[in-house]
Amino acid sequence: MEIGRLMSERAARDGRPLNFIGAGAYEHHIPAAVWAIVTRGEIYSAYTPYQAEASQGTLQTIYEYQTMIASLTGMEVSNASLYDGASGLAEACLMAVRANRRSKSLRILMPKAVNPTYRKCVHAIAGNQNLRFEEVGFDAASGQTAFDSLARHTGEDITAVVIQQPNFFGTLEDVDRLTDWAHKQGALVIAVVNPTSLALLKPPGEWGEHGVDIAVGEGQPLGVPLAAGGPYFGFMTTRMEHVRQMPGRIVGRTLDLDGRPGFTLTLQAREQHIRRGKATSNICTNQGLLMSAATIYLAIVGPEGLERVASASMARTAELVAELTRIKGVREVFTTPRFHEALLRLERPVGPVLEELARRGIAGGYDASHDYPELGQALLICATETKTTGDIANYASALRAVLGTARAA
Amino acid sequence: MSDTQSGAAQREPTIFELSRPGRGATAQMPPPLAAQVPAELRRRRRPLLPEVSELQAVRHYTRLSQLNFSIDTHFYPLGSCTMKYNPRGCNQYAMLPEFLGRHPLAPVSLGQGVLACLHELQEMLKEVTGMQGVSLTPMAGAQGEFAGVAMIRAYHRARGDLARNEIIVPEAAHGTNPATASMCGMKVIEIPCNAEGDCDLDALRNVVGPNTAGIMLTNPSTLGVFERTIADIEKLVHAAGGLLYYDGANLNAILGKVRPGDMGFDVIHMNLHKTFSTPHGGGGPGAGAVGVGARLLPYLPIPVVGRDGDTYRWLDERDLPASIGRLSGFMGNAGVLLRAYIYMRMVGREGMQRIGEYATLNANYLLARFRQAGFEPAYPSRRATHEFILTMKREAREHGATAMDFAKRLLDFGYHAPTTYFPLLVPECLLIEPTETEAKEALDGFVDAMIAIQREAAADPSRLKGAPYTLPVRRLDDVRAAKQLDLTWKPAA
C-alpha cells in the first residue's frame, strides 16, 4: 500500500509531457490487447523454452515472430530477438567477422550518420575483440552518407559496411548505391533499419543487386512502450547461408514422436550453454516478453495498419517541420527526403530551449549538438501517428513563445 | 491420466493460417495520410503479416499462452534459475502510464520520479552486496558478466599491465562465463572441482600468475554448495595480482546473510530476474546490474544515476571518462529495474534476510525428503544451499532411465523439469532449486511425483522413454529440426 502510494506520487511527478522526441525510441499507439495478453501469467512468468513440450506457446510465438520479421526485412531467417537495437548492431558486427571468411582485416566502415549511441555501444561490446571501426562522413547539404568518403576505400579489404536507413537524422540514404559498392569490395552489408518504416521503404533484402547480408534494428516501435528506455528488443535477420553464424536463440518447426508438428529451439550448437568459450555470443536471453508484444502488435495492425502508421508518421513529421520552420530562427538542416524525423537548426543553444519547453509540458526533441558539433545548434524532432494537428500547433506556439522570450530577455 | 490424443485438442494453427486478404483490425489503425516516398526507395510487395480481426489475434495468442508452463500455473524446481513468484504489484506500479510514456531522452527535469527510484535501487543493491558502486545498465546476466570482465580488463590496461589476458573459470561454471571471457578477448583457463564440490586449490595454484586477469566464481557454486575455500581463493588470486568476479546467479541463497563485498570480491553481477523476482517473460527481459569495489569504480558502464542535492541526473562519458562505455541504446531495462525496486521496497530489510533463510530451508527440506526416498545426492556429505544436485546414475545403470527421462515424465505430473545435465561434470544430474515462495505442499507433491516416477522406472522404463504424454506435443525430433531447417512459415505452394 505504502509503496503503491510512493510509486503513484513519483509517476505523477514525471507527468505526461507531449512528446516529440525520437532518436531511436518512438511513441506509437499500442492496441490495449497487446499488453493485456503479454501480462498474462502464462507469458509473463514463463521460463526460457528449453523444455519444448511445456513451452509450445512461447515457441510458436517465436516462430511466428521470425516469419514476420524475416518478411518485413526481406531476409530469409530471423533469430528470436536480442537485447536491443544498439547491442544488436554490436552482435551483427561480430557476426560479420565470422561470416565474411574472405576478409582478414576486421575493419568495419561505420557512417557518422549512424545513431551515435549505437556507435558507442558497438565500440564497448565489439571493441574488445580487435575490430576496427572507421568513420565515414556525411554530406553537409543532404545529410546522407557521403559516397566520396566511402569510395576512398575502394579496393581495400573491408569486412563489413554499416548502413542505417533512415539514418540518425531521419534522412533516407541511397541504399542501393551504398550496398552495391560494399559488395564490390567483398564486404558484407549490415543494415540498421526502423521496422515501422519498412511498411513503406524497400526492405534490406532488396537493397542493391543482391540485398544486404545482415539486418538489425530496434524493435521497440512495434508495440513496446517507451518506458524510460527499456526493456525493448533488438531484431536480427540474415541469409540462410549465414544462419550458423547468427547469435541468439532460433526456433524451428519439427515433428514429435507421433509425427505431429511442434516447435523447438534449434541450432543450439552455436550457443553458450553448449559451446561455452567457443559460442557465437555469450547471449542467453531473447527479449521474450517484448518479442511477444511485437508479434501480437503486428498481428493486430496487419500489413495495412503498419503501412498507415508509417505513412501517418511521415506525414505528421512533414507537417511539424512545416509549422516549426515558419518560426523565425528555425530552419531545416537537410533537404533530402526523410522518414519521420528531421533535423532543425536554431539560433540559440538547444539545451535551454528544451528545458523551457519541458516547463510547458513538451518534450521537444533531442539535442544533437553534442554528438555533432559541426552541425551547430541542432535539434532532432519526430512526430508519429500519435500527434494531431492540434498537438503540432501547441508545440509551434510553445516554441514561438520560448524563442520570443529569449529575444526579449 | 489419459495417454493418447490429449495433445491434439491443444493445437493451435499458426496465425498465418487464420489470415484472409483484406481483413484487419481497422479500429486500431490511424486514418490514411499520404506520404511521399521516392519511387526508388519504395517497398514493392507487402510483407507477410497476418490479416486477422482483433478478436482472432486475441484468441490465438491467449490460446498459445495456455500451452505454456509458467510460475503462475506450475512449480519450477529449476536449479540456478530461481523461479520464484513475480509479485503482481511490481508489474502494476511499474506500468503506471507516466512511467510507460517517458521517453528515455526527455529532459531529466521530466524524470525525477523514475530517477529517484533507480538511484535508490543502486543504493540498496550496494548495501545488500557490500560493494562500493553499482551500474544498472546491463540488460541481462550475460551482459552483466561482460561488463564485469570488461572492467577487469580495463583496470589492468589502465595500469599498463597488458599481459593479464587469462580468466580462470571453474568447470562447474555457467556456459556464459567462458563465453563472456572470450567475448572480452580473454583466454579461458578452466580448473576442476574436487569430490566435495569445492574448487581444487592445487589446480588454482598451478594456473595463477602474471597472466591472470581474474577468476569468475559462483558462490554458492552451481554444485549447490557453498565454496568453503573462498578465503583461500581470495588470497591466492589477489596475491597474484588478479581480481575476483562474483557471478550472482545464486545470490538468493545468501541474501541478507553474507555479502560478496565482504568475501573480497571486486566485481559482481546480479540477476534481478532471479534474486529480485522480476519476470522471466519466456526468456527475457532480464537485468544484470553490476556492483564493484573501489578499484573498479572508474570503469562502471554508463549511464549511472547521480545525485546533486535533491536532483538526479545521468552520469555519462563526461563524469566517468574511464568507463567501459555503453552497453545499450539508452540506459538498460528501466522497466525491469523499476519492478526490482518495488520488490525490494516491499520485502524490506528484514524480509531480505528471510528470503535466504527460507530458500535454504526449502532446499534442505526437499533434499532430506529425497534422501529418505532413496535418491542419491551428488554431494552426500554437504548440506544444500538454496539448491542441490541429485544424480540419477543408478537409475540410468539399473533401468536405463536417464535424468532426461525423469525430467520429461515430470511434465506429465505437472512439474516443470529441474535443470538437467548441468553442471556438466555430474553424471545424469538434476539441479533442483525450490525457492522461498513455494509452500510445503508443493514441495511434497514434487517429491511424491519423483517417487512415483522412480517406481515406474523400475517396473516399466519404456513408460519414461515415451514421456511426456499429456502435453500439447510429445518429445520432439531435435535432429530433424536442425537438419531440415524450418524457421519461417511459408504459404502452401
Side-chain angles (χ1 to χ4, degrees), chain B residues 104-181:
Chain B
L105 300 173
V108 289
S109 57
L110 295 172
Q112 289 296 304
V114 68
L115 286 174
C117 296
L118 298 182
H119 189 265
E120 286 169 27
L121 177 61
Q122 285 176 188
E123 294 300 310
M124 289 192 290
L125 292 176
K126 268 185 349 201
E127 167 79 29
V128 295
T129 57
M131 306 307 281
Q132 303 288 313
V134 162
S135 168
L136 302 170
T137 62
M139 291 179 285
Q143 230 197 18
E145 287 181 36
F146 177 88
V149 178
M151 283 190 274
I152 291 175
R153 185 179 191 261
Y155 165 79
H156 291 309
R157 296 195 142 223
R159 295 179 306 116
D161 194 348
L162 304 179
R164 296 191 182 271
N165 62 351
E166 292 178 357
I167 290 281
I168 302 167
V169 177
E171 59 182 348
H174 292 106
T176 49
N177 289 176
T180 297

Coordinates of all heavy atoms in Angstrom, one line a residue, chain B residues 104-181:
Chain B
P104 N 13.1 8.0 -23.1 CA 14.4 7.9 -22.3 C 15.3 9.2 -22.5 O 16.1 9.4 -21.7 CB 15.1 6.7 -23.0 CG 14.4 6.4 -24.2 CD 13.0 6.9 -24.0
L105 N 15.1 9.9 -23.6 CA 15.9 11.1 -23.8 C 15.2 12.4 -23.4 O 15.7 13.5 -23.7 CB 16.4 11.1 -25.3 CG 17.2 9.9 -25.8 CD1 17.4 10.0 -27.3 CD2 18.5 9.8 -25.0
A106 N 14.1 12.3 -22.8 CA 13.4 13.5 -22.3 C 14.3 14.2 -21.2 O 15.0 13.5 -20.6 CB 12.0 13.2 -21.7
P107 N 14.1 15.5 -21.1 CA 15.0 16.2 -20.1 C 14.8 15.5 -18.7 O 13.7 15.1 -18.4 CB 14.4 17.6 -20.1 CG 13.8 17.8 -21.4 CD 13.3 16.4 -21.8
V108 N 15.9 15.5 -17.9 CA 15.8 14.8 -16.6 C 14.8 15.6 -15.7 O 14.3 15.0 -14.7 CB 17.1 14.7 -15.9 CG1 18.0 13.7 -16.6 CG2 17.9 16.0 -15.8
S109 N 14.5 16.8 -16.0 CA 13.5 17.5 -15.2 C 12.2 16.9 -15.3 O 11.3 17.0 -14.4 CB 13.4 19.0 -15.6 OG 13.1 19.1 -17.0
L110 N 11.9 16.1 -16.4 CA 10.7 15.4 -16.6 C 10.8 13.9 -16.1 O 9.9 13.1 -16.4 CB 10.3 15.4 -18.0 CG 9.9 16.8 -18.6 CD1 9.7 16.7 -20.1 CD2 8.7 17.4 -18.0
G111 N 11.9 13.6 -15.4 CA 12.1 12.2 -15.0 C 12.6 12.0 -13.6 O 13.2 11.0 -13.3
Q112 N 12.4 13.0 -12.7 CA 12.9 12.9 -11.4 C 12.3 11.8 -10.6 O 13.0 11.2 -9.7 CB 12.8 14.3 -10.6 CG 13.7 15.4 -11.2 CD 15.1 15.1 -11.0 OE1 15.6 14.8 -9.9 NE2 15.9 15.0 -12.1
G113 N 11.1 11.5 -10.9 CA 10.4 10.4 -10.2 C 11.1 9.0 -10.5 O 11.5 8.3 -9.6
V114 N 11.2 8.7 -11.7 CA 11.8 7.4 -12.1 C 13.3 7.4 -11.7 O 13.8 6.4 -11.2 CB 11.6 7.1 -13.6 CG1 12.3 8.0 -14.5 CG2 11.9 5.7 -13.9
L115 N 14.0 8.5 -11.8 CA 15.4 8.5 -11.5 C 15.6 8.4 -10.0 O 16.6 7.7 -9.5 CB 16.1 9.9 -11.9 CG 16.3 9.9 -13.4 CD1 16.8 11.3 -13.8 CD2 17.3 8.9 -13.9
A116 N 14.7 8.9 -9.2 CA 14.8 8.7 -7.7 C 14.7 7.2 -7.4 O 15.4 6.7 -6.6 CB 13.7 9.5 -7.0
C117 N 13.8 6.5 -8.1 CA 13.6 5.1 -7.9 C 14.9 4.3 -8.2 O 15.4 3.5 -7.5 CB 12.5 4.5 -8.7 SG 10.9 5.1 -8.3
L118 N 15.5 4.7 -9.4 CA 16.7 4.0 -9.9 C 17.9 4.3 -9.0 O 18.7 3.4 -8.7 CB 17.0 4.3 -11.3 CG 15.9 3.9 -12.3 CD1 16.3 4.3 -13.7 CD2 15.5 2.5 -12.2
H119 N 18.0 5.5 -8.5 CA 19.1 5.9 -7.6 C 19.0 5.1 -6.3 O 19.9 4.5 -5.8 CB 19.1 7.4 -7.3 CG 20.3 7.8 -6.6 ND1 20.3 7.9 -5.2 CD2 21.5 8.1 -7.0 CE1 21.6 8.3 -4.8 NE2 22.3 8.5 -5.9
E120 N 17.8 5.0 -5.7 CA 17.6 4.2 -4.5 C 17.9 2.8 -4.7 O 18.4 2.1 -3.9 CB 16.2 4.4 -4.0 CG 16.0 5.8 -3.3 CD 14.5 6.1 -3.0 OE1 13.7 5.2 -2.8 OE2 14.2 7.3 -3.0
L121 N 17.5 2.3 -5.9 CA 17.8 0.9 -6.2 C 19.3 0.6 -6.2 O 19.8 -0.3 -5.7 CB 17.2 0.5 -7.6 CG 17.5 -0.9 -8.1 CD1 16.9 -2.0 -7.1 CD2 16.9 -1.2 -9.5
Q122 N 20.1 1.6 -6.9 CA 21.5 1.5 -6.9 C 22.0 1.4 -5.4 O 22.9 0.5 -5.1 CB 22.2 2.7 -7.5 CG 22.1 2.7 -9.0 CD 22.6 4.0 -9.7 OE1 22.5 4.2 -10.8 NE2 23.2 4.9 -8.9
E123 N 21.5 2.2 -4.6 CA 22.0 2.3 -3.2 C 21.6 1.0 -2.4 O 22.4 0.4 -1.7 CB 21.3 3.5 -2.4 CG 21.8 4.8 -3.0 CD 23.3 5.0 -2.9 OE1 23.9 4.8 -1.8 OE2 23.9 5.4 -3.9
M124 N 20.4 0.5 -2.7 CA 20.0 -0.8 -2.0 C 20.9 -2.0 -2.4 O 21.2 -2.8 -1.6 CB 18.5 -1.1 -2.2 CG 17.6 -0.1 -1.5 SD 15.9 -0.7 -1.6 CE 15.4 -0.4 -3.2
L125 N 21.2 -2.0 -3.7 CA 22.0 -3.1 -4.2 C 23.4 -3.0 -3.7 O 24.0 -4.0 -3.4 CB 22.0 -3.1 -5.8 CG 20.6 -3.5 -6.4 CD1 20.7 -3.4 -7.9 CD2 20.1 -4.9 -6.0
K126 N 23.9 -1.8 -3.6 CA 25.2 -1.6 -2.9 C 25.2 -2.2 -1.5 O 26.1 -3.0 -1.1 CB 25.6 -0.1 -2.8 CG 26.3 0.3 -4.0 CD 26.8 1.8 -4.1 CE 26.5 2.8 -3.2 NZ 26.8 4.2 -3.7
E127 N 24.2 -1.9 -0.8 CA 24.0 -2.3 0.6 C 23.9 -3.8 0.7 O 24.7 -4.4 1.5 CB 22.8 -1.6 1.1 CG 22.3 -2.1 2.5 CD 23.1 -1.6 3.6 OE1 23.6 -0.5 3.5 OE2 23.1 -2.3 4.7
V128 N 23.1 -4.5 -0.1 CA 23.0 -6.0 0.1 C 24.2 -6.7 -0.4 O 24.4 -7.9 0.0 CB 21.7 -6.5 -0.6 CG1 20.4 -6.0 0.0 CG2 21.7 -6.3 -2.1
T129 N 25.0 -6.1 -1.3 CA 26.1 -6.9 -1.8 C 27.4 -6.4 -1.2 O 28.5 -7.1 -1.4 CB 26.3 -6.7 -3.4 OG1 26.4 -5.3 -3.6 CG2 25.1 -7.2 -4.1
G130 N 27.4 -5.3 -0.5 CA 28.6 -4.8 0.2 C 29.6 -4.2 -0.8 O 30.8 -4.3 -0.6
M131 N 29.1 -3.7 -2.0 CA 30.0 -3.1 -3.0 C 30.0 -1.6 -2.8 O 29.2 -1.0 -2.2 CB 29.6 -3.6 -4.4 CG 29.5 -5.1 -4.6 SD 30.9 -6.1 -4.1 CE 32.0 -5.8 -5.5
Q132 N 30.9 -1.0 -3.6 CA 31.1 0.5 -3.5 C 30.3 1.3 -4.5 O 30.0 2.5 -4.3 CB 32.6 0.9 -3.6 CG 33.5 0.2 -2.7 CD 33.4 0.8 -1.3 OE1 33.3 2.0 -1.1 NE2 33.2 -0.1 -0.3
G133 N 30.0 0.6 -5.6 CA 29.3 1.3 -6.7 C 28.5 0.4 -7.5 O 28.8 -0.8 -7.6
V134 N 27.4 0.8 -8.1 CA 26.5 0.0 -8.9 C 26.1 0.7 -10.2 O 25.9 1.9 -10.2 CB 25.2 -0.4 -8.1 CG1 24.1 -0.9 -9.0 CG2 25.5 -1.4 -7.0
S135 N 26.1 -0.1 -11.3 CA 25.5 0.4 -12.5 C 24.4 -0.6 -12.9 O 24.6 -1.8 -12.8 CB 26.6 0.4 -13.6 OG 25.9 0.6 -14.9
L136 N 23.3 0.0 -13.3 CA 22.1 -0.8 -13.6 C 22.0 -1.1 -15.0 O 21.0 -1.8 -15.4 CB 20.9 0.0 -13.1 CG 20.8 0.4 -11.6 CD1 19.6 1.4 -11.4 CD2 20.7 -0.8 -10.7
T137 N 22.9 -0.6 -15.9 CA 22.6 -0.7 -17.3 C 22.6 -2.1 -18.0 O 21.9 -2.3 -18.9 CB 23.5 0.2 -18.1 OG1 24.9 -0.3 -17.9 CG2 23.4 1.6 -17.7
P138 N 23.4 -3.1 -17.5 CA 23.5 -4.3 -18.2 C 22.1 -5.0 -18.3 O 21.3 -5.0 -17.4 CB 24.4 -5.2 -17.4 CG 25.3 -4.2 -16.7 CD 24.4 -3.1 -16.4
M139 N 21.7 -5.4 -19.5 CA 20.3 -5.8 -19.8 C 20.0 -7.3 -19.5 O 18.9 -7.7 -19.7 CB 20.0 -5.5 -21.3 CG 20.0 -4.0 -21.5 SD 19.6 -3.6 -23.2 CE 21.2 -4.0 -24.0
A140 N 21.0 -8.0 -19.0 CA 20.8 -9.4 -18.7 C 22.1 -9.9 -17.9 O 23.1 -9.2 -17.9 CB 20.6 -10.3 -19.9
G141 N 22.0 -11.1 -17.3 CA 23.1 -11.6 -16.6 C 24.3 -11.7 -17.4 O 25.4 -11.3 -17.0
A142 N 24.2 -12.2 -18.6 CA 25.4 -12.3 -19.5 C 26.0 -11.0 -19.8 O 27.2 -10.9 -20.0 CB 25.0 -13.1 -20.8
Q143 N 25.2 -9.9 -20.0 CA 25.7 -8.6 -20.2 C 26.4 -8.1 -19.0 O 27.4 -7.3 -19.0 CB 24.7 -7.6 -20.7 CG 25.2 -7.0 -22.0 CD 24.4 -5.7 -22.4 OE1 23.7 -5.1 -21.6 NE2 24.5 -5.3 -23.6
G144 N 25.9 -8.4 -17.8 CA 26.5 -8.0 -16.5 C 27.9 -8.7 -16.4 O 28.8 -8.1 -16.0
E145 N 27.9 -10.0 -16.8 CA 29.2 -10.7 -16.8 C 30.2 -10.0 -17.8 O 31.4 -9.8 -17.4 CB 29.0 -12.1 -17.3 CG 28.4 -13.0 -16.3 CD 28.3 -14.4 -16.9 OE1 29.2 -14.8 -17.6 OE2 27.2 -15.1 -16.6
F146 N 29.7 -9.6 -18.9 CA 30.5 -8.9 -19.9 C 31.1 -7.6 -19.3 O 32.3 -7.3 -19.4 CB 29.7 -8.6 -21.2 CG 30.5 -7.8 -22.2 CD1 31.3 -8.5 -23.1 CD2 30.5 -6.5 -22.2 CE1 32.0 -7.8 -24.0 CE2 31.3 -5.7 -23.1 CZ 32.0 -6.4 -24.0
A147 N 30.2 -6.9 -18.7 CA 30.6 -5.6 -18.1 C 31.7 -5.9 -17.0 O 32.7 -5.2 -16.9 CB 29.4 -4.9 -17.4
G148 N 31.5 -6.9 -16.2 CA 32.5 -7.3 -15.2 C 33.8 -7.6 -15.7 O 34.8 -7.0 -15.3
V149 N 33.9 -8.5 -16.7 CA 35.2 -8.8 -17.3 C 35.8 -7.7 -18.0 O 37.0 -7.4 -18.0 CB 35.0 -10.1 -18.2 CG1 36.4 -10.5 -18.8 CG2 34.5 -11.3 -17.4
A150 N 34.9 -6.9 -18.7 CA 35.5 -5.7 -19.4 C 36.1 -4.7 -18.5 O 37.1 -4.1 -18.7 CB 34.4 -5.1 -20.3
M151 N 35.5 -4.6 -17.3 CA 36.1 -3.7 -16.3 C 37.4 -4.2 -15.7 O 38.3 -3.4 -15.5 CB 35.1 -3.5 -15.1 CG 33.9 -2.6 -15.4 SD 32.9 -2.1 -14.0 CE 31.8 -3.5 -13.9
I152 N 37.5 -5.5 -15.5 CA 38.7 -6.1 -15.1 C 39.8 -5.9 -16.1 O 40.9 -5.5 -15.8 CB 38.5 -7.6 -14.8 CG1 37.6 -7.9 -13.6 CG2 39.9 -8.3 -14.7 CD1 37.3 -9.3 -13.4
R153 N 39.4 -6.0 -17.4 CA 40.4 -5.8 -18.5 C 40.8 -4.3 -18.5 O 42.0 -4.0 -18.6 CB 39.7 -6.2 -19.8 CG 40.6 -6.1 -21.0 CD 39.7 -6.5 -22.2 NE 40.5 -6.7 -23.4 CZ 40.6 -5.8 -24.4 NH1 40.1 -4.6 -24.3 NH2 41.3 -6.1 -25.5
A154 N 39.9 -3.5 -18.4 CA 40.2 -2.0 -18.4 C 41.1 -1.6 -17.2 O 42.0 -0.8 -17.4 CB 38.9 -1.2 -18.4
Y155 N 40.8 -2.2 -16.1 CA 41.7 -1.9 -14.9 C 43.1 -2.3 -15.1 O 44.0 -1.5 -14.9 CB 41.1 -2.7 -13.7 CG 42.0 -2.8 -12.5 CD1 42.1 -1.7 -11.6 CD2 42.7 -4.0 -12.2 CE1 42.9 -1.8 -10.5 CE2 43.5 -4.1 -11.1 CZ 43.6 -3.0 -10.2 OH 44.4 -3.1 -9.1
H156 N 43.4 -3.5 -15.6 CA 44.7 -3.9 -15.8 C 45.4 -3.1 -16.9 O 46.6 -2.7 -16.8 CB 44.8 -5.4 -16.3 CG 44.4 -6.4 -15.2 ND1 45.0 -6.3 -13.9 CD2 43.5 -7.4 -15.1 CE1 44.5 -7.3 -13.1 NE2 43.6 -7.9 -13.9
R157 N 44.7 -2.8 -18.0 CA 45.2 -2.0 -19.1 C 45.6 -0.6 -18.6 O 46.6 0.0 -19.0 CB 44.2 -1.9 -20.2 CG 44.0 -3.2 -20.8 CD 43.3 -3.1 -22.2 NE 43.9 -4.2 -23.0 CZ 44.2 -4.0 -24.2 NH1 44.1 -2.9 -24.8 NH2 44.8 -5.0 -24.9
A158 N 44.7 0.0 -17.7 CA 45.0 1.3 -17.2 C 46.3 1.4 -16.4 O 47.0 2.4 -16.4 CB 43.8 1.8 -16.4
R159 N 46.7 0.2 -15.8 CA 47.9 0.2 -15.1 C 49.1 -0.2 -16.0 O 50.2 -0.4 -15.5 CB 47.8 -0.8 -13.9 CG 46.8 -0.4 -12.9 CD 46.7 -1.5 -11.8 NE 46.5 -2.8 -12.3 CZ 47.3 -3.8 -12.3 NH1 48.5 -3.7 -11.6 NH2 47.0 -4.9 -12.8
G160 N 48.8 -0.4 -17.3 CA 49.9 -0.8 -18.2 C 50.2 -2.2 -18.1 O 51.2 -2.7 -18.7
D161 N 49.4 -3.0 -17.4 CA 49.7 -4.4 -17.2 C 49.0 -5.2 -18.3 O 47.9 -5.8 -18.1 CB 49.1 -4.8 -15.8 CG 49.7 -6.2 -15.4 OD1 50.3 -6.9 -16.2 OD2 49.5 -6.5 -14.2
L162 N 49.6 -5.2 -19.5 CA 48.9 -5.8 -20.7 C 49.0 -7.3 -20.8 O 48.3 -7.9 -21.6 CB 49.5 -5.1 -22.0 CG 49.5 -3.6 -22.0 CD1 50.1 -3.1 -23.3 CD2 48.0 -3.1 -21.9
A163 N 49.8 -7.9 -19.9 CA 50.0 -9.4 -20.0 C 48.8 -10.1 -19.5 O 48.6 -11.3 -19.8 CB 51.3 -9.8 -19.3
R164 N 48.0 -9.5 -18.7 CA 46.9 -10.2 -18.0 C 45.8 -10.5 -18.9 O 44.9 -9.6 -19.0 CB 46.5 -9.5 -16.7 CG 47.6 -9.4 -15.7 CD 47.2 -8.9 -14.4 NE 48.3 -8.8 -13.5 CZ 48.7 -9.8 -12.7 NH1 48.0 -10.9 -12.7 NH2 49.8 -9.7 -11.9
N165 N 45.8 -11.6 -19.6 CA 44.7 -11.9 -20.6 C 44.1 -13.3 -20.3 O 43.5 -13.8 -21.2 CB 45.3 -11.9 -22.0 CG 46.4 -12.9 -22.2 OD1 46.8 -13.5 -21.2 ND2 46.8 -13.1 -23.4
E166 N 44.2 -13.8 -19.1 CA 43.6 -15.1 -18.8 C 42.5 -14.9 -17.7 O 42.7 -14.2 -16.7 CB 44.7 -16.0 -18.3 CG 45.7 -16.4 -19.3 CD 46.7 -17.4 -18.8 OE1 46.7 -17.7 -17.6 OE2 47.6 -17.8 -19.6
I167 N 41.4 -15.5 -17.9 CA 40.3 -15.6 -16.9 C 40.2 -17.0 -16.5 O 40.0 -17.9 -17.3 CB 39.0 -15.1 -17.5 CG1 39.1 -13.5 -17.8 CG2 37.8 -15.4 -16.7 CD1 38.9 -12.7 -16.5
I168 N 40.2 -17.2 -15.2 CA 40.1 -18.6 -14.7 C 38.6 -18.9 -14.4 O 37.9 -18.0 -13.8 CB 41.0 -18.7 -13.4 CG1 42.4 -18.4 -13.7 CG2 40.8 -20.1 -12.8 CD1 43.3 -18.3 -12.5
V169 N 38.2 -20.0 -14.8 CA 36.7 -20.4 -14.6 C 36.7 -21.8 -14.1 O 37.2 -22.7 -14.8 CB 36.0 -20.2 -15.9 CG1 34.5 -20.7 -15.8 CG2 36.0 -18.8 -16.5
P170 N 36.0 -22.1 -13.0 CA 35.8 -23.5 -12.5 C 35.0 -24.2 -13.6 O 34.1 -23.6 -14.2 CB 35.1 -23.3 -11.2 CG 35.2 -21.9 -10.8 CD 35.4 -21.1 -12.0
E171 N 35.2 -25.5 -13.7 CA 34.5 -26.2 -14.7 C 33.0 -26.3 -14.5 O 32.2 -26.6 -15.4 CB 35.1 -27.7 -14.9 CG 35.0 -28.5 -13.6 CD 35.6 -29.8 -13.7 OE1 35.9 -30.3 -14.8 OE2 35.7 -30.5 -12.6
A172 N 32.6 -26.1 -13.2 CA 31.1 -26.1 -12.9 C 30.4 -24.9 -13.4 O 29.2 -24.8 -13.2 CB 30.9 -26.3 -11.4
A173 N 31.1 -23.9 -13.9 CA 30.5 -22.6 -14.1 C 29.5 -22.6 -15.2 O 29.5 -23.5 -16.0 CB 31.6 -21.6 -14.5
H174 N 28.6 -21.6 -15.2 CA 27.6 -21.4 -16.3 C 28.4 -21.2 -17.6 O 29.4 -20.6 -17.6 CB 26.8 -20.2 -16.0 CG 25.8 -20.4 -14.9 ND1 26.0 -19.7 -13.7 CD2 24.7 -21.1 -14.8 CE1 25.0 -20.1 -12.9 NE2 24.2 -20.9 -13.5
G175 N 27.8 -21.7 -18.7 CA 28.4 -21.5 -20.0 C 28.7 -20.1 -20.4 O 29.6 -19.8 -21.2
T176 N 27.9 -19.2 -19.8 CA 28.1 -17.8 -20.1 C 29.4 -17.3 -19.6 O 30.0 -16.4 -20.2 CB 27.0 -16.9 -19.4 OG1 26.9 -17.3 -18.1 CG2 25.7 -17.1 -20.1
N177 N 30.0 -17.9 -18.6 CA 31.3 -17.4 -18.0 C 32.4 -17.5 -19.0 O 33.0 -16.5 -19.4 CB 31.6 -18.1 -16.7 CG 30.8 -17.8 -15.5 OD1 30.9 -18.3 -14.4 ND2 29.9 -16.8 -15.7
P178 N 32.7 -18.7 -19.5 CA 33.7 -18.8 -20.6 C 33.3 -18.0 -21.9 O 34.2 -17.4 -22.5 CB 33.8 -20.3 -20.8 CG 32.7 -21.0 -20.2 CD 32.2 -20.1 -19.1
A179 N 32.0 -18.1 -22.2 CA 31.6 -17.3 -23.4 C 31.9 -15.8 -23.3 O 32.3 -15.2 -24.2 CB 30.2 -17.6 -23.8
T180 N 31.6 -15.3 -22.1 CA 31.9 -13.9 -21.8 C 33.3 -13.6 -21.9 O 33.7 -12.6 -22.5 CB 31.3 -13.6 -20.4 OG1 29.9 -13.8 -20.4 CG2 31.6 -12.1 -20.1
A181 N 34.1 -14.4 -21.2 CA 35.6 -14.2 -21.2 C 36.1 -14.1 -22.7 O 36.9 -13.2 -23.0 CB 36.3 -15.2 -20.4

